Amino acid sequence: MWLLLACTSGKDSGGGETGAPDATRDLGDAFAADTLEGYVTYLASEELAGREAGSEGDLLGVAYIEAAFDAAGFEPLDGGWEQPFVDSAGTDSINVLGVRWGASDEIVIVGAHHDHLGVRGGEIFPGANDDASGVAVLLGLAEAFGSGATPDRTLVLAAWGSEEVEIDGSRAYTEDPPADLPLADTVHYVNLDMLGTYDAYEVIYALDAVRGTVAHRVVGAAADESPLYVDLAEYGELSDSVNFCEAGVPEVFFYTEDPACYHSPCDTADRLDYDDLSAVGELVGHVVDRFTDGALDLATQRAAGCPVAR
């Protein structure tokens, strides 16, 4: 994560408003704790050396994500898995995009960033929580949604590059989306950043899913089925969700606080809370299931733009 500012406006333990359709997709073992731990362990390994944008380690992470998307049944666009761009530091970087085509033109995007800080002062910043944990849940979503019934809405899984460089990857996407994925047809965005430390305060934030948003209803309904405490009353600033909101796309940003090892060499795979990360994955899976269900009206809020002030 590049930066977070949380503005407290009270707690909400879930439930929320009514009206969200029931989740129906069987998530299977896509979010098993040991599976997620395996993803994080590789992405935060010494071999990938902190995945600094454009580095050899970052490219190894990109290849790993592409292979996982492919194995799960997601498809690349005609130009391949990669959307290349040059970030604001002048580095060649990559967004990885996998698609499960739906029955309608409407699109839901779920994103997590694959880059981190690399090596600084001779020390590796592994980026296990930030954001190998989010990528791990993204790969779980690929497994859960890559086969079975065709979703009503097209589902795009995006692993963003250069988030740590001014949230550039998602900005490159929103400013120049692929021709087959028009931003005008994108009805909701879900952001996954730093999901592996639920145990720090025993809360997961669904940032920007405040009252009056479709996300509040959808996440609230999913929270009722989850063992986790879900806070639906906070606003988030400056992860990839911001670029979508500024482009008029409604969004929700899942996040757990990491008071000990944020942007630190101690952000290692062995310290994450994988049992709760598994529950986070299932929560996100049920939310994505609801968002891709055509029975839910997302077009009305999309037409009105992102309801969160920026």
Side-chain angles (χ1 to χ4, degrees), residues 226-241:
S226 173
L228 304 174
Y229 177 82
V230 184
D231 189 310
L232 298 167
E234 312 284 344
Y235 292 89
E237 274 285 348
L238 294 192
S239 184
D240 292 297
S241 52

Side-chain angles (χ1 to χ4, degrees), residues 1-7 130 163 191 193-194 205 207-208 234-239 241-242 253-258 262-263 310:
M1 179 189 292
W2 186 57
L3 175 68
L4 174 88
L5 300 173
C7 176
D130 187 9
E163 190 269 358
N191 197 58
D193 201 348
M194 296 178 57
Y205 297 93
L207 298 166
D208 300 331
E234 312 284 344
Y235 292 89
E237 274 285 348
L238 294 192
S239 184
S241 52
V242 167
F253 170 9
F254 288 98
Y255 161 77
T256 61
E257 293 189 73
D258 192 350
Y262 172 68
H263 280 193
R310 295 294 184 201

Side-chain angles (χ1 to χ4, degrees), residues 28-286:
D29 295 325
F31 302 105
D34 57 349
T35 300
L36 299 180
E37 184 174 6
Y39 296 148
V40 172
T41 298
Y42 176 71
L43 291 168
S45 66
E46 185 174 338
E47 180 182 4
L48 271 62
R51 309 184 311 279
E52 184 175 9
S55 68
E56 181 179 348
D58 190 34
L59 295 178
L60 287 172
V62 163
Y64 183 78
I65 294 163
E66 291 173 1
F69 282 177
D70 189 32
F74 274 70
E75 299 178 30
L77 296 170
D78 287 344
W81 298 105
E82 299 178 5
Q83 181 192 38
F85 64 95
V86 178
D87 70 22
S88 56
T91 300
D92 291 330
S93 193
I94 294 167
N95 293 328
V96 182
L97 307 174
V99 183
R100 183 82 199 278
W101 297 104
S104 75
D105 292 335
E106 293 186 339
I107 299 163
V108 172
I109 302 176
V110 186
H113 69 93
H114 60 75
D115 68 306
H116 194 54
L117 300 178
V119 180
R120 301 190 174 192
E123 291 191 276
I124 295 174
F125 287 63
N129 196 32
D130 187 9
D131 185 29
S133 64
V135 173
V137 171
L138 197 72
L139 300 185
L141 290 170
E143 182 68 25
F145 287 84
S147 60
T150 299
D152 293 331
R153 295 184 172 98
T154 290
L155 175 61
V156 177
L157 302 182
W160 307 119
S162 296
E163 190 269 358
E164 302 286 7
V165 188
E166 308 287 342
I167 53 175
D168 283 344
S170 53
R171 181 178 295 112
Y173 183 96
T174 57
E175 290 181 352
D176 186 21
D180 290 341
L181 300 172
L183 208 62
D185 292 340
T186 302
V187 291
H188 217 284
Y189 174 66
V190 179
N191 197 58
L192 312 175
D193 201 348
M194 296 178 57
L195 303 181
T197 51
Y198 179 86
D199 57 344
Y201 296 112
E202 296 192 343
V203 59
I204 179 166
Y205 297 93
L207 298 166
D208 300 331
V210 294
R211 289 192 180 276
T213 64
V214 174
H216 187 88
R217 292 190 287 117
V218 172
V219 178
D224 285 342
E225 304 167 8
S226 173
L228 304 174
Y229 177 82
V230 184
D231 189 310
L232 298 167
E234 312 284 344
Y235 292 89
E237 274 285 348
L238 294 192
S239 184
D240 292 297
S241 52
V242 167
N243 289 320
F244 282 89
C245 189
E246 290 182 346
V249 180
E251 47 82 14
V252 58
F253 170 9
F254 288 98
Y255 161 77
T256 61
E257 293 189 73
D258 192 350
C261 293
Y262 172 68
H263 280 193
S264 167
C266 69
D267 185 8
T268 55
D270 60 307
R271 56 177 288 275
L272 298 195
D273 171 16
Y274 293 104
D275 287 338
D276 286 319
L277 182 59
S278 175
V280 168
E282 291 185 3
L283 170 72
V284 173
H286 288 308

